[in-house]
Amino acid sequence: RALLEKQTYPDLRDSSGHPIQPYDVTAQTLPLLMGVDALPVHAPFKYRYEVEYMGFAVDGERELKTRIGLYKSHVPTNDEGWTRWIFKNIPLEVAPVKDFPDWVRSFDFDSIEDRTVKSGELRKKYDQIVIPDQPPRTILNGYRTGSMPPELTGGLGQEGVKALRQFVEDGGTLVCLNRASEFAIEQFKLPLRNVVSGLARTQFYVPGSILRLELDISHPVAKGMPKESIAWAEDSPVFEVVSEAKSSVPAENVHVIGWYPREKDPLLSGWLLGADRIKGKAALVEVTMGKGRIILFGFRPQYRGQSLATYPLFFNALSSR
C-alpha cells in the first residue's frame, strides 16, 4: 500500500514548530510516478494485456541524431548517476512498449567533466548538454583548493560558465535539472527568481513529494503529455519571471511550460508546507538566448529512474526545437 496508494504524511514538528526531517522521502507512489492507475482488486478476475504508453513527441519522418553531453562533476551526485543509467538502459524500461521511437533506444551521449566544458567549442561536439541536480555552488566551485588533487578542484568556474553561454548562443540546448536550474539563473543572469529561496522550513518545506503539475501542451517540450501531470519535488526551486535591468535576456524570452495549479492544492502525495506560496508559479520554463535555449526543470523528471510519467518532458527537451 505504501507503494501503490497516495500517501498523506503526518505534519510532524518539534517543540519549536520546525518540521522533523523524514528518514527518506515522503511519497513512494509508483502509479503517480509512472503515469498509471492502480486499482484494488478483491476477487479473482480476467484481463486482457494491452500497453498504451503516453507517447513521445518525435517526428517519425526524419532520423533524429542527438549528441548529448552529460555533465559529471568531480563532486559525485546521485542524479548524475541516475541520468547516466537512464541513457544507457532506456531499452530495458520500455521494451514492452509497441512502436516506441527508435531514437530513444540508443542515446549518443558523453560524460563531460569540468575540463571538457572549459575547453570550449562545445557546439561543434554537442547539440544538448544536461546538468543534473546539484547545488549551484558545487557546480561552480567544486572541491575547494587543497581538499583534493588539483585536477579535481575548482568546478566549472567562470571559464566553464563562459563556454556554456557560448554553447547556447551558438544554437545549443542546455537542460538543467532541479537545483542546477539555479546555477543557470545566477550565472547567466536570467530574468527569473526562485520564490522559495531562503525561506525557513516553517514557511516552505517539501521533503520528496509528488506535486500536481499543469502543462502548456502546445509547447514542443510538453507535446504528447496530458494537460495535468506530476512533478517530483525535493529541494526544488519554484520560478517566477521578473523584469530586471541586470538580466542578460528580456523577460519575453521566457516561456512557461509547466506550473503549479492556481486553484487546486499542489500536493498529490507526501508532505508539503507552504503550498500557497507556489500556486500559479512556474516549475518548467524555456529561456531563449542567442540561437539556442536553456530549459529549466524545477523538479527531477527522471527521478531515480522511476518517474516514467515525466520522461517525455525530459526526452522532448533533448529533441524538440
Side-chain angles (χ1 to χ4, degrees), residues 77 79-80 131-135 177-180 234-235 300:
T77 169
D79 204 53
E80 184 277 329
I131 304 182
D133 173 52
Q134 200 164 25
L177 306 181
N178 212 46
R179 293 173 295 176
E234 183 180 7
D235 297 324
R300 292 162 64 185

Side-chain angles (χ1 to χ4, degrees), residues 155-191:
L156 286 176
Q158 288 306 314
E159 190 177 357
V161 171
K162 182 179 178 181
L164 288 173
R165 174 184 285 275
Q166 191 63 53
F167 166 76
V168 175
E169 291 180 344
D170 288 345
T173 296
L174 180 64
V175 179
C176 298
L177 306 181
N178 212 46
R179 293 173 295 176
S181 295
E182 293 189 85
F183 166 80
I185 292 172
E186 294 169 5
Q187 297 305 315
F188 300 137
K189 295 182 172 56
L190 303 180

Side-chain angles (χ1 to χ4, degrees), residues 111-306:
S111 288
I112 56 175
E113 299 181 345
D114 298 325
R115 180 176 56 185
T116 304
V117 177
K118 292 177 182 179
S119 66
E121 298 189 336
L122 296 170
R123 189 66 185 92
K124 293 181 179 180
K125 308 170 189 174
Y126 305 108
D127 301 309
Q128 300 89 10
I129 291 178
V130 179
I131 304 182
D133 173 52
Q134 200 164 25
R137 185 175 299 179
T138 304
I139 297 170
L140 182 65
N141 300 324
Y143 286 118
R144 69 179 186 278
T145 301
S147 64
M148 297 287 281
E151 65 271 19
L152 302 180
T153 62
L156 286 176
Q158 288 306 314
E159 190 177 357
V161 171
K162 182 179 178 181
L164 288 173
R165 174 184 285 275
Q166 191 63 53
F167 166 76
V168 175
E169 291 180 344
D170 288 345
T173 296
L174 180 64
V175 179
C176 298
L177 306 181
N178 212 46
R179 293 173 295 176
S181 295
E182 293 189 85
F183 166 80
I185 292 172
E186 294 169 5
Q187 297 305 315
F188 300 137
K189 295 182 172 56
L190 303 180
L192 294 158
R193 75 179 186 96
N194 177 11
V195 300
V196 298
S197 177
L199 293 179
R201 288 187 171 183
T202 52
Q203 297 174 298
F204 183 79
Y205 190 49
V206 55
S209 302
I210 300 173
L211 306 184
R212 181 180 280 108
L213 180 70
E214 296 181 350
L215 294 167
D216 174 8
I217 58 174
S218 68
H219 193 281
V221 170
K223 188 176 181 180
M225 289 286 291
K227 290 184 178 181
E228 187 172 290
S229 185
I230 61 110
W232 175 267
E234 183 180 7
D235 297 324
S236 298
V238 181
F239 310 120
E240 182 177 62
V241 182
V242 295
S243 297
E244 295 182 0
K246 65 179 182 179
S247 297
S248 63
V249 296
E252 52 264 31
N253 284 33
V254 179
H255 188 114
V256 176
I257 304 169
W259 58 92
Y260 297 117
R262 298 171 179 85
E263 305 298 332
K264 301 178 183 178
D265 184 356
L267 182 65
L268 283 173
S269 184
W271 191 17
L272 172 64
L273 298 179
D276 288 343
R277 294 181 179 272
I278 67 172
K279 286 184 176 180
K281 303 300 182 182
L284 172 58
V285 301
E286 176 191 63
V287 184
T288 56
M289 190 168 71
K291 297 178 182 178
R293 61 181 184 161
I294 302 171
I295 298 178
L296 306 178
F297 284 87
F299 54 96
R300 292 162 64 185
Q302 40 33 307
Y303 166 71
R304 289 185 182 175
Q306 297 175 0

Side-chain angles (χ1 to χ4, degrees), residues 20-193:
I20 300 173
Q21 183 171 337
Y23 167 74
D24 193 14
V25 298
T26 62
Q28 304 281 10
T29 315
L30 287 178
L32 289 175
L33 289 170
M34 300 180 72
V36 299
D37 293 326
L39 303 175
V41 178
H42 304 287
F45 67 99
K46 294 181 179 181
Y47 72 97
R48 182 166 56 118
Y49 182 74
E50 274 188 13
V51 174
E52 183 180 349
Y53 206 61
M54 69 279 286
F56 283 70
V58 177
D59 184 352
E61 299 301 319
R62 63 189 176 91
E63 183 180 1
L64 283 170
K65 292 185 178 180
T66 59
R67 302 175 301 164
I68 301 171
L70 175 60
Y71 175 65
K72 185 178 182 180
S73 170
H74 290 302
V75 182
T77 169
N78 289 339
D79 204 53
E80 184 277 329
W82 278 118
T83 309
R84 180 159 33 92
W85 182 86
I86 289 169
F87 284 170
K88 290 182 177 180
N89 294 282
I90 189 66
L92 300 178
E93 291 294 309
V94 300
V97 180
K98 182 181 179 181
D99 297 330
F100 197 80
D102 288 339
W103 74 275
V104 179
R105 296 185 185 278
S106 55
F107 280 107
D108 180 11
F109 81 99
D110 294 329
S111 288
I112 56 175
E113 299 181 345
D114 298 325
R115 180 176 56 185
T116 304
V117 177
K118 292 177 182 179
S119 66
E121 298 189 336
L122 296 170
R123 189 66 185 92
K124 293 181 179 180
K125 308 170 189 174
Y126 305 108
D127 301 309
Q128 300 89 10
I129 291 178
V130 179
I131 304 182
D133 173 52
Q134 200 164 25
R137 185 175 299 179
T138 304
I139 297 170
L140 182 65
N141 300 324
Y143 286 118
R144 69 179 186 278
T145 301
S147 64
M148 297 287 281
E151 65 271 19
L152 302 180
T153 62
L156 286 176
Q158 288 306 314
E159 190 177 357
V161 171
K162 182 179 178 181
L164 288 173
R165 174 184 285 275
Q166 191 63 53
F167 166 76
V168 175
E169 291 180 344
D170 288 345
T173 296
L174 180 64
V175 179
C176 298
L177 306 181
N178 212 46
R179 293 173 295 176
S181 295
E182 293 189 85
F183 166 80
I185 292 172
E186 294 169 5
Q187 297 305 315
F188 300 137
K189 295 182 172 56
L190 303 180
L192 294 158
R193 75 179 186 96

